[in-house]
Amino acid sequence: MDSMKRVRKAVFPVAGLGTRFLPATKAIPKEMLTVVDRPVIQYVVDEAREAGIEHFIFVTGRNKAVIEDHFDVQFELYDTLAQRGKDDQLARLQRLQPGPGQTSFTRQQVPLGLGHAVWCARELVGDEPFALLLPDMIMQSEKSCMKDMVELYQETGNNIIAVQECDPAEAHKYGIVGRGEDTHHGFRITEMVEKPKTGSAPSNLYINGRYILQPEIFKILEGQEKGAGNEIQLTDAMLKLEKQQPFYGYHYQGRTFDCGSPEGFVEANVAFALWRSDMNHSMAGVIRTLLDELKPSERHGVAL
């Protein structure tokens, strides 16, 4: 444990096409769609930064250059804000700005799945443990999910997966873990099952898109055969790594929004607007008004 390497780097797989959001994503990456006033990817990067991450690695694809631009310095914009005395806005943008050399971008080139996207970051990660954050999933809690995960990693020195509860009847839709003995503020993972058959799930704890993985995963991914969906699956590689190294689960208690789906994206916008002190009162009133104005036939099944 004395020689345990710190988690300094995070990988963000952002090469997906966002087909569920067409036509909005025809020219705009789905990661740049905004939740209230920030792109989805900004929420995920901010979560990593709060956890002490220093190097942000983006695995991109075609038509994703705007993500790189977003995390770069915009001289004209900064100068215009300064000249107009908009100091608060300028300071906010500068706080969100990664420092020189803190961002790296690499191309996945071919859509071969999450496991392949992670493997594409191998040279940038090197021989270090790293965080993996799926950008479709954004979290809402007082303390970031990844920050708690890093603390659990510092206690165990091993692979960490964040999980949370789902309706047992929905377990077949997710990657599910088996729960073993508690340790520190997590638990030992006894098994991992990708989309188990109905009624066969080892628990109702699903993997919510946050990981801390040891670099040995890259060697496994290099020879990993294609699995479900004819893609290289990260779960398959983790199952092999689990035979060599322990995996621990962190039971996240906050909210998770799947911004890869239109419903989850809209839910995230509502939830984050209501969470903000400068917007919650007015937005709550707007939502109540909209619900009241629904026709009786449209109101069916909507809890008022």
Side-chain angles (χ1 to χ4, degrees), residues 136-167:
D136 283 350
M137 314 299 285
I138 63 174
M139 311 318 208
Q140 187 183 70
S141 55
E142 293 296 335
K143 184 178 179 182
S144 88
C145 177
M146 183 52 65
K147 186 171 184 178
D148 268 339
M149 291 176 67
V150 168
E151 291 176 2
L152 180 57
Y153 166 79
Q154 291 168 343
E155 295 168 350
T156 65
N158 284 291
N159 304 279
I160 311 294
I161 299 177
V163 300
Q164 58 192 109
E165 296 175 357
C166 67
D167 183 339

Side-chain angles (χ1 to χ4, degrees), residues 219-267:
K219 186 64 175 178
I220 296 173
L221 287 169
E222 186 174 344
Q224 181 68 47
E225 297 179 353
K226 293 180 181 179
N230 201 33
E231 295 181 337
I232 298 173
Q233 297 292 339
L234 179 64
T235 302
D236 293 341
M238 291 194 301
L239 286 169
K240 293 180 180 178
L241 184 59
E242 194 269 337
K243 295 177 181 178
Q244 308 168 22
Q245 301 174 356
F247 274 74
Y248 291 88
Y250 165 64
H251 191 173
Y252 176 62
Q253 301 292 334
R255 291 192 180 98
T256 298
F257 303 98
D258 180 4
C259 290
S261 72
E263 296 84 359
F265 178 73
V266 172
E267 182 184 1

Side-chain angles (χ1 to χ4, degrees), residues 180-194:
E181 72 276 8
D182 291 341
T183 177
H184 303 286
H185 66 288
F187 61 91
R188 184 71 178 266
I189 290 177
T190 58
E191 57 183 309
M192 290 177 273
V193 185
E194 187 66 34

Side-chain angles (χ1 to χ4, degrees), residues 22-300:
L22 287 170
T25 51
K26 182 179 179 182
I28 301 173
K30 63 177 181 176
E31 297 84 7
M32 292 300 296
L33 298 176
T34 55
V35 171
V36 187
D37 58 0
R38 283 192 289 169
V40 169
I41 188 62
Q42 185 70 62
Y43 286 89
V44 186
V45 169
D46 289 347
E47 179 185 341
R49 182 186 284 113
E50 185 182 336
I53 299 297
E54 301 169 354
H55 190 175
F56 310 96
I57 301 167
F58 300 86
V59 182
T60 71
R62 295 183 62 192
N63 302 319
K64 299 282 185 168
V66 68
I67 297 176
E68 188 168 351
D69 291 340
H70 174 74
F71 290 104
D72 200 358
V73 174
Q74 302 246 349
F75 292 103
E76 296 85 354
L77 174 61
Y78 289 6
D79 183 62
T80 298
L81 291 174
Q83 290 186 32
R84 295 180 180 178
K86 297 184 180 294
D87 297 334
D88 290 343
Q89 288 178 307
L90 178 58
R92 184 186 181 203
L93 288 176
Q94 290 173 332
R95 284 196 302 270
L96 297 175
Q97 179 75 53
Q102 285 192 313
T103 56
S104 295
F105 298 82
T106 187
R107 287 288 186 101
Q108 186 177 9
Q109 297 177 324
V110 287
L112 292 179
L114 176 58
H116 182 260
V118 172
W119 180 75
C120 289
R122 66 198 183 282
E123 298 294 340
L124 293 168
V125 172
D127 188 26
E128 299 184 38
F130 65 99
L132 171 64
L133 298 91
L134 304 192
D136 283 350
M137 314 299 285
I138 63 174
M139 311 318 208
Q140 187 183 70
S141 55
E142 293 296 335
K143 184 178 179 182
S144 88
C145 177
M146 183 52 65
K147 186 171 184 178
D148 268 339
M149 291 176 67
V150 168
E151 291 176 2
L152 180 57
Y153 166 79
Q154 291 168 343
E155 295 168 350
T156 65
N158 284 291
N159 304 279
I160 311 294
I161 299 177
V163 300
Q164 58 192 109
E165 296 175 357
C166 67
D167 183 339
E170 302 290 311
H172 65 281
K173 298 179 180 180
Y174 305 102
I176 302 293
V177 305
R179 180 166 190 155
E181 72 276 8
D182 291 341
T183 177
H184 303 286
H185 66 288
F187 61 91
R188 184 71 178 266
I189 290 177
T190 58
E191 57 183 309
M192 290 177 273
V193 185
E194 187 66 34
K195 296 182 179 179
K197 293 181 180 179
T198 302
S200 67
S203 74
N204 68 328
L205 296 174
Y206 77 94
I207 300 171
N208 69 5
R210 299 292 185 268
Y211 313 77
I212 293 175
L213 299 171
Q214 295 293 329
E216 287 79 10
I217 195 75
F218 293 121
K219 186 64 175 178
I220 296 173
L221 287 169
E222 186 174 344
Q224 181 68 47
E225 297 179 353
K226 293 180 181 179
N230 201 33
E231 295 181 337
I232 298 173
Q233 297 292 339
L234 179 64
T235 302
D236 293 341
M238 291 194 301
L239 286 169
K240 293 180 180 178
L241 184 59
E242 194 269 337
K243 295 177 181 178
Q244 308 168 22
Q245 301 174 356
F247 274 74
Y248 291 88
Y250 165 64
H251 191 173
Y252 176 62
Q253 301 292 334
R255 291 192 180 98
T256 298
F257 303 98
D258 180 4
C259 290
S261 72
E263 296 84 359
F265 178 73
V266 172
E267 182 184 1
N269 270 278
V270 172
F272 276 92
L274 292 174
W275 216 38
R276 285 179 45 161
S277 60
D278 62 331
M279 297 181 67
N280 56 10
H281 180 73
S282 60
M283 286 305 304
V286 168
I287 292 169
R288 281 193 292 266
T289 299
L290 290 173
L291 287 172
D292 289 342
E293 290 177 352
L294 286 176
K295 297 177 182 178
S297 60
E298 297 172 331
R299 198 180 299 166
H300 178 71

